[in-house]
Amino acid sequence: AAGVIQSPRHLIKEKRETATLKCYPIPRHDTVYWYQQGPGQDPQFLISFYEKMQSDKGSIPDRFSAQQFSDYHSELNMSSLELGDSALYFCASSPPPRGYTEAFFGQGTRLTVV
Amino acid sequence: AQTVTQSQPEMSVQEAETVTLSCTYDTSESDYYLFWYKQPPSRQMILVIRQEAYKQQNATENRFSVNFQKAAKSFSLKISDSQLGDAAMYFCAYTRNQGAQKLVFGQGTRLTINP
């Protein structure tokens, strides 16, 4: 079965650079979530999109922005990178919300800022 | 705001034994879901088991079962017949039952299986 695809899997950037993370949800899933997991930390919710509109926002820095495109894939743009942005970034997707909907996680993008 | 607390940063168990991981949560909602996720060294988030708050019966999935105490807001995971492949970080998580909702995670418990 198709899974959530994240690219790239690994990314190394220097401080003050910009990074773009991509997420391709499972086909027919219209909701995408982004989470950030720092070293030794639990995943923290950043932002979510439903039908290409932002549906919820968590602790996402102003330096970060995200969007969901017409094909439902999503991109997380991170500017002015800081050392503290080094983390594993998960994307998850879920089908149209009718009652409970399970979120399926991608394998994550490991971002290292040096 | 909803919070999830895992008070055991690390646990260890002998292979083939049983271990219980603890989780408490706080919410004012009455309808919600609770989860246990497993994160092995590959860092993939794997759903282990799910509990619906309005169901009194505890969920079970093969060797994994939960003890859901709604009044006490407690949600523990029992792993029976522990196997080496069970070694991982385990996260307890919560979401409201309103369609697509974000997950709120606990701090995690690192489980070690001793051969």
Side-chain angles (χ1 to χ4, degrees):
Chain A
V4 177
I5 305 298
Q6 291 188 244
S7 69
R9 292 290 309 280
H10 302 274
L11 189 59
I12 300 175
K13 291 286 185 177
E14 295 188 353
K15 285 192 302 183
R16 294 180 288 279
E17 284 193 318
T18 297
T20 298
L21 279 53
K22 298 185 178 182
C23 170
Y24 298 87
I26 293 172
R28 290 179 292 282
H29 283 197
D30 57 4
T31 303
V32 168
Y33 310 80
W34 286 97
Y35 292 86
Q36 177 191 56
Q37 186 179 24
Q41 304 292 314
D42 54 288
Q44 295 289 319
F45 171 73
L46 292 178
I47 196 167
S48 63
F49 293 88
Y50 167 61
E51 280 293 340
K52 293 153 280 185
M53 299 287 288
Q54 180 181 308
S55 56
D56 198 358
K57 192 173 181 179
S59 50
I60 184 169
D62 292 340
R63 299 177 288 108
F64 294 6
S65 65
Q67 59 181 324
Q68 186 179 33
F69 294 85
S70 58
D71 64 351
Y72 296 104
H73 94 273
S74 179
E75 295 184 4
L76 177 65
N77 297 292
M78 311 159 68
S79 63
S80 303
L81 287 169
E82 303 173 357
L83 295 178
D85 296 329
S86 295
L88 187 60
Y89 290 83
F90 283 109
C91 172
S93 74
S94 63
R98 297 185 189 92
Y100 166 75
T101 54
E102 179 179 340
F104 294 81
F105 282 83
Q107 292 186 294
T109 293
R110 181 178 298 280
L111 172 66
T112 303
V113 181
V114 297
Chain B
Q2 296 83 17
T3 59
V4 178
T5 302
Q6 293 178 248
S7 58
Q8 305 157 316
E10 297 183 353
M11 291 282 285
S12 63
V13 63
Q14 290 296 124
E15 192 176 5
E17 296 291 308
T18 295
V19 64
T20 299
L21 308 184
S22 301
C23 172
T24 59
Y25 60 95
D26 188 26
T27 183
S28 57
E29 304 281 342
S30 60
D31 196 8
Y32 50 87
Y33 285 84
L34 295 165
F35 309 85
W36 280 97
Y37 279 88
K38 172 184 178 182
Q39 188 176 44
S42 67
R43 305 300 297 276
Q44 176 77 43
M45 293 294 285
I46 302 167
L47 178 62
V48 174
I49 199 165
R50 177 180 72 231
Q51 175 75 44
E52 302 164 66
Y54 64 87
K55 287 190 175 179
Q56 292 187 337
Q57 186 174 5
N58 289 324
T60 62
E61 287 288 342
N62 300 312
R63 297 182 295 108
F64 299 86
S65 62
V66 299
N67 184 4
F68 174 48
Q69 302 290 327
K70 191 172 184 178
K73 295 181 180 175
S74 170
F75 182 62
S76 61
L77 174 70
K78 185 172 81 172
I79 306 174
S80 303
D81 186 24
S82 299
Q83 300 176 0
L84 294 178
D86 295 333
M89 280 291 287
Y90 285 82
F91 290 99
C92 179
Y94 162 100
T95 191
R96 293 188 300 167
N97 183 22
Q98 279 189 319
Q101 290 290 335
K102 66 185 179 188
L103 289 163
V104 178
F105 288 90
Q107 303 91 329
T109 296
R110 181 173 301 281
L111 178 64
T112 301
I113 311 296
N114 300 312

